[in-house]
Each structure stands twice: as structure tokens, then as C-alpha cells.
Amino acid sequence: MAEPRTASPRRPPALRRPQLLPPLLPLPPLLPPLLLLLLLPLPAPSLGLGHSAELAFSVEPNDDIANPGQPIVLGCRVEGTPPVRVSWRRNGAELPEGTHTTLLANGSLLIHHFRLQEGGSPSDEGDYECVAQNRFGLLVSRKARIQAATMSDFHVHPQAVMGEEGGVARFQCQIHGLPKPLITWEKNRVPIDTDNERYTLLPKGVLQITGLRTEDSGVFHCVASNIASVRVSHGARLTVSGPGSGTYKEPTILVGPENLTLTVHQTAVLECVATGNPRPIVSWSRLDGRPIGVEGIQVLGTGNLIISDVTVQHSGVYVCAANRPGTRVRRTAQGRLVVQAPAEFVQHPQSISRPAGTTAMFTCQAQGEPPPHVTWLKNGQVLGAGGHVRLKNNNSTLSISGVGPEDEAIYQCVAENIAGSSQASARLTVLWAEGLPGPPRDVRAVSVSSTEVRVSWSEPLAHTKEIIGYVLHIRKAADSPKLEYQEAVSKSTFQHLVRDLEPSTAYSFYIKAYTPRGASLASVPTLASTLGEAPVPPPLSVRLLGSSSVQLLWKPWPRLAQHNGGFKLFYRPASTASFTGPILLPGSVSSYNLSQLDPSTVYEVKLLAYNQHGDGNATVRFVSLRGASERTALTPPCDCREEDVTNHTSTTGIVIGIHIGVTCIIFCVLFLLFGQRGRVLLCKDVENQLSPPQGPRSQRDPGILALNGVSRGEGGQPGRDEKHVDAKELEQLFPTTGSAGQPARPTDPAAPAPCEEIQLSMVQLQGLNLVAGRTTEATSPCAGPGPVPAPQDVVPGLLSEGQTAQPPAVPAAQ
């Protein structure tokens, strides 16, 4: 490898200057300042006097790069009503005049010898602003960033390459500098021939050589130059061997596109180097499917995509594809292009005039990529929201309420993002009518209660005869001014009771007097805090969790913690006199569980909120767990695992029993119409069709009775796995009284009985056994033996929620 060397000094490109009116010519490096002054335009009789009376910039300074030790001029020209004073700021501080800088006649700034920070001398690098002021206000230009030209060492040197004839070679070097260095290449100390189509030079410091030949062998150097310096990289040797074997090689992308971030109007270079045998075809597309377009697009070399004068619409992911000719074999690589755009205005603020006491509003809309941030200046100072100044719509709207003489100024909208900044200005003129009253005096506010404040004031000192009323402006002291509201007061009243305020809250009050000509200036604001009070009763609800536990629910009150408050919970059995509690809970809690309660007892629960002013009224609820305990009693705990499987009756069985019973009753009615003999035969026939086959009681199929919840053993006795309830439970679940409390009407003995031998069968409901026959005795392994009373004859009907009745009887022919 060749050692790095320093090239012979080359004349740097002419120093780029900001445009003045008229534009300056390029300056030699050591042009005397006196001659520079002679080249500048002569001053106008009055500085900055233009066609417009509004103070505005016709020329603003631009970002620039200065060569240390050389002069640089920052352009600025102002229009407006004279006299106009122009000054400069650097990094926000006013730049004093001295021998090092000179303020030119047209407002531009001359730096005689641009310097870097060395020893105790400060650097001239920084953000510069031109400041113009006349009797209407002050205006600040956009920021211009001035940097010193620099050149670093190479941090990537080209590397040696070996290739075959007909192949591809690639060299790369990287170096940082301001301005961006110009990269050229040398072969064997001689600049390469840029007219050779096989040699492709990319601006980012890449040299590509396609269709390699033996004469391409040699040592290559990368040369970087800008106005600061010229540097030469290490040498890298290219060795070209004989032609390859000609065997097939899959397409391969040696170098794909890199991610790029550029500013509009720059040039994007997306590199793509592919190899293979046969030579692959390189194509480009966008990942989102949008067309790349043709304007400003060109392919450099064998596959590099060049996009000139990029715009925001060019942003996206670009895909480089290497295809084997005649096939669908391909390899791809992709890179993202991000194009940034400096802020620019689509709507400028307009100068306005407003009467005193009214509201002035300025609007500016800016666009850019990324979206710019908008700030407002008043006479060159940053203006924030507060008092009567409001910023809305992401700072794009400035609103000033109750304008007065102190609000007369020049307001600037400054839009800025990473790509640049822009400013626009407008002037506010306050129209002050003659004879307007002064501001109300001696404004006082006194708390009356937790929700009321009394505000009093005195008349203005002058011009009180035309006052038609007062307007009291009210808002919470902690709220923004946009939440302010007003209440009107008659002209003869000098006090007002403000109601419906929040307890323990600070409020701000000020007054304006109104006349037919306009409003007075606002009085001095005054503050007052409402008195505190105990909290109101909290809403409380109860949810049952089980047979012995409940959950209490309410809304949390985080503000209680700010006033040393919370919740207090009490509970007791309703039959006792003393409460359990208080249970102290913080204001952020919204529930509490009570457990280990007696299911047979009614409980009284009391919840209240408290703060530093005391306890509030309590919310009381009575809780009964009897319903939950009764539901538990219907399925008492018992180690009867097999019964639960065999005796569980589904709803389907109940429905089937009801349909059979109803069908049989209908046919029995038909028996009465067509004769006893026919009725008996038909009843028997229907029973045979709708009911399971039945034999002697001792020989019936157990599965048939099990369908209705019964499994019998031999001899018609209950099986070992049966589950019964005692008579008291049956009476409780299926009372024999009708809906009016009268006993069920017994069957009329005189009435004809079409099916005299039919016996009633009760269908099991909620785990209860079917009891077949007039009287049966059953034994429960849990509850012990007990007789079951014979059921009464019932008429099937509908049950509403909360009602109890006998289960429908299912007639069964003997």
C-alpha cells in the first residue's frame, strides 16, 4: 500500500456568498476590506426605505460556510417607514460593533477575517439574525447558520481488488468536510478519464469499473477537495486476471442501495452493483408500487439510480433487482430515501387594527418535512401563552383578548424544522377611542361560602357617564385563559356575587367597563379561594360474591387525597347497635370486599367521604345474603359424586314430559266426544306411541325412568344412587296453593275419567327426583329416609320469575 501523500496545493473553488441586491461577484481570498466596501451598493438616503410602510425584510441572511481567515458578508436589507435601525445577533445575543465586524450601509454584516476559537478569541461560527426596528416595532430575520470550512482525514480508504476480465471492480473512500468535498480519482497518479463509459464516478466517493480489461490494472487513489483543503487517500491496486471459466453463476448483488436523508433539490444516488454469468439485468422499483417516474431520473453505469432535484414525493423505499436474463431468477436489495423540506408558509399573518378592549387574532400556516414547529415573537421576544394571550391549533393561531396600548407591536410567526426555518410578520395597531373610561379600581374578592365569592370594585376615575355596564371575567387560577367565562353586571352595581364555584378552589377575577365606544382597560386581576366543605355522600352499590361475602363498589375520588381525605366504611348486623369500623380507605380506592358474613342475617353498610373539613354524609345500604344461602341449600354439599352424574336431569327431559302430558290430555278430551270404548283404545294407542314401552313395575327398563330423573332397583324400590329431598323442601319449592292463596281444587269425583287408571309422575327439576305412583318411599344417602307426600292434581301453566308451582304432571297409562 502506498503511503498517504499531500497533493500539490490546488486553487479552491470560489467562496460561495449570500446574494445581496445587487448580487456580489466572487471575491478573491485576500480582497482588502476597503475594496470590498467599494463593490457594495451605495446607501440609500434613508436606510431601508422601500415602497411598503410595513417593516419587512427584502433580503435575509442565508446559511453559509466561511474559509477561516477570509472575509464573509451576511446579507440583509430592510423596508419600512424610516428611520429604521439595523443590528445583528449571534446565538441570540446582540453583536457589538468593533474592528472585527462592520455594519454596511444597506444593513449587511461584514466579518473581516472569519476566525475559529483559538486561545481566548471567540469563534465566529454560530446562528446570525438581522434585527430591524422602527417606531412601530422590532423585526428579526430568519436564522443563518455560519460554519467554518473544514476537511477531516479519510476514515475509509480504498482497498485492493482482484477481478476477472469482463467482471466488475469497485473502490470506495469516505471523508467528512464542510462544504462537502468533491471526490475525484487517480490511476497511477493520473486523473482517470471520465469520458470512459466503463468508469462510473459516484458523488459519494465510489468508483465502479465494469467490463474489466487487462489495461485497467494499476494503483488508484481517491482525491478529496474543498475550500478548506485537499487530501489524497492511500493507494489501492487493481489486478485483472484472465477471462473466467464461463460457467453459470447465480445473480449476486455486491452492493445495494444505502439509506439516504437529503434536502429538497439535492441529488440522490442509489447504488446497485450486481454480478453473475450471464450478466444480470438490473432494474429498479418502489416498494409501495408507485412509479418512479422519468423526469430527473437516470441510470448511471450498469445499474445506479440517480434522482436529480429530489422532492418530498421521492421519499420511499427503493428496490434494486438483479434478474438472470430469460428467467425469473432474481436477487433484490433495498434502501430508504428520506427527503426533508425546510419550513415554508402557505398562509402569512396579516397586519390588523383593533379597537381597545377587543380581541386580535393572527393566523399563519406552515408546511415542511418533517412538519415544522411554530413559535411567535413580539418585537423580537418569544411570546408564550398566558394572561390574555392564547395559542391554538398547534401554535398556528395567536389570539390576544382585551388588547390595549401595550399590545401594539410587530408579531412574527417563526416556523422551523431540521431542514431550515422561515419567518413572517404582521403588525397590530390598537385603536384607542377618545373618552373611554379607565380600568375599574379597588377590585376585591371575598369568599362567602364553599361555592360563592363576592367581588366588589370602584368606578373608574374618568369618563364614567357613558358607562353602560361592567363585565366580570372569571376563571380558575390553575386553568388556562381560554377557559375563562364572563358575567355581565349593571352600571349601577359595584359588587357581584359569583355562584356555583367549586369548594377549596382558587379563582381569578378582573373587571372591564363598557361604553358605546368600546371597553376600558382591564382592571388589575385579584385572586380568591372558596371555602372548604365536607364531601358529599358517595354513590354506593353492592354485588354478591357468594353465600357469605359481598363486594361494595363506588367511584374513586382522587381529589380527596389532595385535601387529606379518603373514605370511611362501617357495617353491622341490622339487629345490633354497634358498627364495625371505621375502615379507612384512600380516595383512589373504588371497592372493598366483606367476607365471613352470616347468610341468615341482614347487614347495614355505611360509606362516607371525609377531608380536612370533616366527615360528609353517609350512604347507607342494607344487604341480605338470604337469597344466596337459599340457592346454596338447593344443592347441599354432599359426597355424592356418582349421583350427580346419574341423576342430573336436563331441560330436554322436562320439555319431553310436558309435551307428552299435554298431548295425552288433548286426546282424553277427544275420548269424551267419541265414546268410552274408543277413548280407552285411543288413549292406550297414544300412550304406546308417545311413551316408552312399559311392563310391570318391577320389570320396567330403568333407563326409561332415569330419563325423568328416577332410577329404580328391583321390586320398584329406589336405586342406591338416587337423590331425594324431604317433604318440607318439596312443599317450599312446589306449594299446593293457587295464585290467590286458595288450595288447589280437587278433581271432581263426578266428572268422567277417560283414563281412570292413569297415575301422576313428577318430573325432576333442579336436581329433584321424579316420584312415580301415589305414594312412594325413598332413601337419600345424604338426608336419610323420609316419606314423600302424594302430589295433588295440577294444571300445567307458565311460571314467571319469582313464582313457585308444582311441576307439570305427566299422565302415564296403567
Side-chain angles (χ1 to χ4, degrees):
M1 286 291 180
E3 294 296 327
R5 65 183 176 88
T6 302
S8 58
R10 301 186 183 187
R11 180 171 181 149
L15 182 63
R16 182 170 62 88
R17 301 293 180 187
Q19 293 292 322
L20 295 176
L21 295 180
L24 293 175
L25 298 175
L27 302 177
L30 301 177
L31 188 65
L34 182 59
L35 182 57
L36 177 64
L37 292 176
L38 294 177
L39 292 176
L40 294 173
L42 293 176
S46 179
L47 177 62
L49 182 60
H51 297 289
S52 174
E54 293 288 345
L55 192 62
F57 290 103
S58 58
V59 175
E60 294 186 77
N62 294 313
D63 297 346
D64 207 349
I65 298 172
N67 200 5
Q70 301 298 318
I72 182 174
V73 176
L74 307 181
C76 179
R77 175 167 289 186
V78 186
E79 295 178 346
T81 303
V84 177
R85 177 181 176 273
V86 176
S87 60
W88 283 81
R89 296 175 182 172
R90 183 178 67 214
N91 298 330
E94 187 168 353
L95 188 67
E97 292 190 31
T99 57
H100 180 61
T101 60
T102 299
L103 179 63
L104 303 181
N106 65 350
S108 300
L109 178 68
L110 168 64
I111 302 176
H112 298 281
H113 301 282
F114 193 87
R115 62 193 179 189
L116 296 175
Q117 186 172 3
E118 295 179 358
S121 61
S123 172
D124 289 327
E125 290 185 303
D127 293 333
Y128 286 78
E129 297 169 301
C130 181
V131 182
Q133 186 175 11
N134 65 3
R135 62 189 180 92
F136 296 114
L138 183 145
L139 196 63
V140 180
S141 72
R142 67 175 298 273
K143 292 181 180 179
R145 176 159 295 181
I146 308 301
Q147 298 172 288
T150 59
M151 176 77 79
S152 68
D153 293 328
F154 283 96
H155 53 277
V156 173
H157 289 268
Q159 303 295 320
V161 176
M162 297 184 64
E164 299 176 347
E165 286 190 8
V168 177
R170 179 182 182 273
F171 296 99
Q172 181 179 13
C173 65
Q174 289 183 5
I175 189 171
H176 291 311
L178 285 175
K180 185 178 181 180
L182 174 66
I183 304 295
T184 58
W185 289 86
E186 294 179 351
K187 175 188 173 185
N188 299 330
R189 311 297 189 186
V190 177
I192 63 172
D193 183 10
T194 56
D195 294 332
N196 191 335
E197 294 182 353
R198 297 187 301 108
Y199 284 70
T200 302
L201 280 72
L202 302 182
K204 65 177 183 176
V206 172
L207 171 63
Q208 298 174 358
I209 306 175
T210 58
L212 287 175
R213 302 174 183 173
T214 305
E215 60 266 26
D216 292 326
S217 299
V219 177
F220 290 81
H221 290 86
C222 174
V223 181
S225 60
N226 66 5
I227 61 176
S229 180
V230 176
R231 298 194 185 279
V232 180
S233 72
H234 296 164
R237 180 173 295 277
L238 171 61
T239 303
V240 181
S241 60
S245 61
T247 59
Y248 169 75
K249 294 182 180 179
E250 288 282 344
T252 303
I253 296 179
L254 298 179
V255 180
E258 297 178 346
N259 295 333
L260 295 178
T261 300
L262 303 176
T263 306
V264 290
H265 308 307
Q266 291 183 329
T267 298
V269 179
L270 301 174
E271 184 181 9
C272 188
V273 180
T275 61
N277 191 16
R279 177 190 251 176
I281 299 174
V282 177
S283 61
W284 286 89
S285 63
R286 287 178 61 113
L287 189 62
D288 57 9
R290 294 171 52 191
I292 294 180
V294 295
E295 186 175 355
I297 306 294
Q298 61 176 326
V299 177
L300 191 62
T302 60
N304 306 292
L305 182 66
I306 309 298
I307 307 177
S308 303
D309 193 20
V310 295
T311 64
V312 175
Q313 286 70 31
H314 286 121
S315 295
V317 177
Y318 289 79
V319 180
C320 165
N323 298 72
R324 177 187 173 189
T327 69
R328 292 189 176 183
V329 178
R330 61 184 306 198
R331 296 293 183 269
T332 61
Q334 63 185 31
R336 181 179 296 275
L337 172 62
V338 177
V339 180
Q340 298 176 339
E344 62 178 357
F345 289 103
V346 295
Q347 180 180 355
H348 292 74
Q350 303 295 321
S351 296
I352 56 176
S353 299
R354 291 290 181 269
T358 59
T359 298
M361 185 175 296
F362 297 99
T363 300
C364 74
Q365 297 286 342
Q367 65 182 8
E369 185 60 39
H373 175 67
V374 175
T375 57
W376 288 87
L377 306 180
K378 176 185 177 182
N379 285 339
Q381 302 298 321
V382 176
L383 183 64
H388 64 307
V389 177
R390 305 177 187 177
L391 296 175
K392 299 181 290 185
N393 303 326
N394 291 328
N395 289 0
S396 62
T397 301
L398 169 65
S399 175
I400 308 171
S401 59
V403 296
E406 69 279 2
D407 296 312
E408 279 197 330
I410 295 177
Y411 293 85
Q412 287 180 265
C413 177
V414 180
E416 187 173 11
N417 63 8
I418 193 173
S421 65
S422 184
Q423 66 84 27
S425 61
R427 175 183 159 200
L428 171 61
T429 301
V430 178
L431 303 177
W432 187 255
E434 294 294 334
L436 286 180
R441 301 174 297 115
D442 304 328
V443 180
R444 295 182 178 87
V446 178
S447 297
V448 177
S449 68
S450 60
T451 59
E452 296 176 331
V453 171
R454 188 179 303 280
V455 182
S456 61
W457 62 93
S458 301
E459 273 189 328
L461 291 176
H463 307 290
T464 59
K465 294 182 179 180
E466 295 185 4
I467 293 178
I468 58 176
Y470 298 90
V471 173
L472 177 60
H473 296 252
I474 309 160
R475 69 177 175 90
K476 292 181 182 179
D479 286 349
S480 63
K482 65 182 180 181
L483 299 178
E484 175 186 283
Y485 65 97
Q486 299 87 32
E487 293 185 8
V489 185
S490 67
K491 64 178 181 179
S492 59
T493 303
F494 300 104
Q495 65 177 6
H496 183 69
L497 185 63
V498 184
R499 297 182 172 86
D500 298 327
L501 303 178
E502 294 185 9
S504 302
T505 305
Y507 286 86
S508 172
F509 307 91
Y510 68 90
I511 313 282
K512 286 184 180 180
Y514 278 79
T515 69
R517 300 183 183 184
S520 71
L521 295 177
S523 68
V524 177
T526 183
L527 296 176
S529 295
T530 54
L531 301 178
E533 67 176 1
V536 298
L540 177 63
S541 60
V542 181
R543 184 173 67 180
L544 295 178
L545 298 180
S547 61
S548 62
S549 60
V550 296
Q551 185 178 43
L552 308 177
L553 302 169
W554 63 90
K555 290 185 179 180
W557 290 358
R559 289 190 58 185
L560 287 175
Q562 304 174 6
H563 301 283
N564 302 321
F567 294 101
K568 292 181 181 180
L569 176 64
F570 304 83
Y571 70 98
R572 67 174 180 180
S575 59
T576 63
S578 60
F579 281 93
T580 300
I583 301 174
L584 299 180
L585 302 171
S588 58
V589 172
S590 61
S591 66
Y592 189 81
N593 293 347
L594 295 178
S595 58
Q596 298 181 355
L597 303 178
D598 185 358
S600 62
T601 303
V602 176
Y603 286 85
E604 180 182 356
V605 179
K606 183 168 64 174
L607 179 71
L608 60 86
Y610 70 94
N611 58 16
Q612 76 270 26
H613 302 290
D615 294 349
N617 293 329
T619 302
V620 179
R621 293 287 183 270
F622 289 89
V623 181
S624 174
L625 299 175
R626 185 169 301 169
S629 62
E630 290 177 354
R631 286 193 296 270
T632 306
L634 294 180
T635 56
C638 162
D639 189 14
C640 304
R641 298 184 179 89
E642 295 183 1
E643 306 177 11
D644 293 340
V645 176
T646 59
N647 293 342
H648 180 72
T649 301
S650 65
T651 306
T652 306
I654 299 175
V655 174
I656 292 174
I658 293 175
H659 279 75
I660 293 175
V662 172
T663 305
C664 188
I665 292 174
I666 293 174
F667 278 99
C668 288
V669 173
L670 294 176
F671 294 160
L672 296 175
L673 299 176
F674 296 103
Q676 178 67 23
R677 181 177 181 183
R679 289 196 299 271
V680 173
L681 293 176
L682 186 57
C683 185
K684 294 289 186 178
D685 188 57
V686 171
E687 179 190 0
N688 293 335
Q689 294 179 13
L690 298 180
S691 302
Q694 302 200 17
R697 181 168 305 208
S698 60
Q699 298 177 1
R700 291 176 185 171
D701 186 356
I704 298 175
L705 294 178
L707 178 66
N708 289 330
V710 172
S711 177
R712 293 179 178 276
E714 293 181 2
Q717 297 299 322
R720 291 174 299 172
D721 298 332
E722 288 182 354
K723 177 181 176 184
H724 288 283
V725 248
D726 57 19
K728 292 183 179 180
E729 291 178 339
L730 284 175
E731 291 176 359
Q732 182 179 1
L733 290 173
F734 305 108
T736 58
T737 58
S739 59
Q742 299 298 328
R745 183 172 57 86
T747 304
D748 187 357
C755 302
E756 296 178 357
E757 299 297 323
I758 292 177
Q759 295 184 355
L760 297 178
S761 299
M762 295 179 62
V763 181
Q764 178 187 4
L765 180 64
Q766 298 284 342
L768 298 178
N769 270 342
L770 166 70
V771 182
R774 296 289 183 178
T775 58
T776 58
E777 293 184 358
T779 303
S780 172
C782 297
V788 180
Q792 301 279 341
D793 292 339
V794 296
V795 178
L798 298 177
L799 298 179
S800 61
E801 184 178 358
Q803 291 179 319
T804 58
Q806 287 185 344
V810 181
Q814 182 68 21

